[in-house]
Amino acid sequence: MAEVSPFTHIIDWQHVKVLIIDDQLSSALLIQNILHSIDLTTIDIATNCTNALQLCKTTAYDLILIDFHLDPQLSGSELLTVMRKKNCISSYCGIIFISGDRTPEVIVTSISMDADSFLSKPLNIGILKQRIVTVYQACLKRKPIYIALENKHISTAISLCRQLLQLHGHNIDIEIILLDLLIDQQDWIQAQQLLTLFSERSQHHKLILRKAQLMHKQGDDVAAIQQLQILIKQVPLFVEAYDELAVLLQQQHQSNAAKDIAYQALRLTPSISHRSLLTAQLAVKTNDPSLFMKTGKILVTHLPLIDNDWIIQFAQFTTLFEQLHSQQLSPQRQQQLIKQLTKLHQQARRRLTRHQKIILTAFRHITLARFAATNKHPLKAKRRLLHGLKYYFGQMSQAPMAIIVDALPLLIHFGETGLIKEAYQTIMTQNVLDDHCHHRLNQLQENKFIIENIRLLIEQLATAKATIDPDPQRAYCIYQTILRDYPYNTEAHLGRINSLLMTQQMHHPDINTSLRQIKKMPLASPLLEWFMLLQQQYKDQKESF
């Protein structure tokens, strides 16, 4: 019996599952009717991103048609990024972008998202049908390869690529997959041989990019940079070449040149946020506040407002802002930058839902708290910090991780042990942390004594509180010791007030000092209840005198 090739398929359109994502239902229904005419029967429609994500979680779609401009707040490319990140769609699912907008930004962004095709509205029925067939056939060809990769069978995936090329001949997509796998496996000889063979048949820009990548991997960065510069001149809308060149120039310490190239890529595809962050990083490296803020405006205009991905990217941008802020020698210039950052917050806020506005407000308070602490305004910093966290008192697990990790260093600095415990417990429940969280936590871990100091503080506070009733004078002394190390610790100030009231020392100056420290501070339970009780005791003692 003849062996059946894994790439030989007779398409049964009735079993092909299609999702149309378009905020205009009439447009989606029109496309659905066209697809019915080629015997496609399983066709779902989503008119918003939430609906699309829900459908993708319950159905494994073979083809997805996405309108590029879903609504004023979200683009199809942003939705596709989220679907891939959440593994809502298979790696071999066919993607077709549809849009009435034919600007270079839309077309280049669609291409750079590795979509299989782009169609302009109004749709030509014949072209749509033909494109559906072509894209689905391509999906069937690559499906065994991607299944092998998902199962981490790299050698099998390489063999499948070779078989497919031997069976069907030239196929640029499969050639690129094969080259990428060989380069990842550091099989330079095989990669170079195949690249030479493929280049004899085609001078495709993707092959030229792999040629530059291979030069870089083999240590010839000068030749790689020259190759990429030529490629950009020849194919000025091939944005991946800009990405590669910017990284290589950065590695060669040509930061200004890298910045210019990264900004060109960003202007071509402003909705792809990783390019905003790279440009912002290079603007910091070259101390270019003007470009940094331009990049910030682009970022907040295109934040992917699905789940909490947007606040992670905003937090990454803010981390870079802190570096830029610290580079400024003039306090006036530093203050100007903070005002500009506040304007970015306001700009972002206009795009957010009510719940997202709460998150941004919390994050803004914590960010400003970090700057206040840096500028040696500890009381202001603590007040900002607690105002930022008050939305999550008693429910820290509801806070985005970006907020928790940004707040944690200040909580440790002020010795707020109750909130530290909540934050730590929440972090421990996370299976995966994003790059921003890793960065912040690694900064904390550089200080090896932090955990031990907090453990000692918790023991001291417990001892002092247990001592208030039997020996308030001794408790007062312990709280005084704690306040020498943690002068803004809320629990220590409350305990000091309690100890003095227990000994009828209501006129002691430390009471007013501690009250000033706590006044107008949002407090979490049980500190809030303790403070309210002490206020009543203080009032009662004053009236009795």
Side-chain angles (χ1 to χ4, degrees), residues 112-123:
S112 68
M113 292 298 298
D114 285 330
D116 294 280
S117 187
F118 178 88
L119 292 174
S120 297
K121 293 181 179 179
L123 294 171

Side-chain angles (χ1 to χ4, degrees), residues 78-253:
E78 291 164 351
L79 174 59
L80 179 58
T81 298
V82 173
M83 289 196 296
R84 285 173 171 167
K85 182 176 180 181
K86 293 180 174 296
N87 294 317
C88 294
I89 58 176
S90 68
S91 54
Y92 46 84
C93 176
I95 303 295
I96 299 176
F97 274 116
I98 298 174
S99 179
D101 183 351
R102 304 177 193 180
T103 59
E105 176 191 332
V106 170
I107 296 172
V108 173
T109 301
S110 301
I111 294 170
S112 68
M113 292 298 298
D114 285 330
D116 294 280
S117 187
F118 178 88
L119 292 174
S120 297
K121 293 181 179 179
L123 294 171
N124 178 290
I125 295 175
I127 292 176
L128 174 60
K129 289 180 178 180
Q130 182 267 330
R131 206 65 60 87
I132 288 288
V133 173
T134 302
V135 169
Y136 187 59
Q137 287 176 337
C139 294
L140 291 176
K141 286 180 182 178
R142 68 184 181 229
K143 183 175 179 178
I145 300 169
Y146 279 104
I147 290 174
L149 291 174
E150 288 170 1
N151 293 319
K152 303 189 185 321
H153 298 155
I154 308 300
S155 59
T156 301
I158 291 173
S159 297
L160 287 168
C161 287
R162 291 180 182 275
Q163 289 176 39
L164 186 57
L165 291 171
Q166 288 170 358
L167 191 65
H168 295 288
H170 169 66
N171 182 313
I172 187 63
D173 294 328
I174 303 302
E175 289 171 358
I176 292 301
I177 294 172
L178 178 55
L179 288 172
D180 286 345
L181 289 172
L182 291 171
I183 290 172
D184 287 342
Q185 294 297 301
Q186 299 184 11
D187 191 343
W188 314 129
I189 295 176
Q190 281 289 312
Q192 187 62 62
Q193 288 176 348
L194 286 173
L195 181 60
T196 301
L197 176 64
F198 298 155
S199 298
E200 289 174 358
R201 302 171 184 166
S202 166
Q203 284 298 308
H204 198 282
H205 54 273
K206 289 186 178 180
L207 291 175
I208 298 173
L209 175 61
R210 268 62 188 185
K211 181 179 179 181
Q213 290 173 337
L214 197 54
M215 290 172 175
H216 164 60
K217 295 291 186 182
Q218 294 177 299
D220 195 351
D221 286 348
V222 173
I225 288 171
Q226 290 174 346
Q227 184 71 72
L228 290 167
Q229 289 170 333
I230 293 169
L231 178 57
I232 287 172
K233 288 180 180 178
Q234 292 173 339
V235 190
L237 297 183
F238 185 34
V239 73
E240 284 80 4
Y242 292 82
D243 293 338
E244 192 78 20
L245 180 56
V247 171
L248 284 182
L249 289 170
Q250 185 180 16
Q251 291 174 358
Q252 292 294 309
H253 306 292

Side-chain angles (χ1 to χ4, degrees), residues 273-281 295 299 313 316-317 320:
S273 53
H274 74 80
R275 294 192 174 108
S276 293
L277 293 170
L278 176 59
T279 305
Q281 177 192 344
T295 303
L299 178 67
Q313 293 178 9
Q316 291 173 321
F317 179 80
L320 294 170

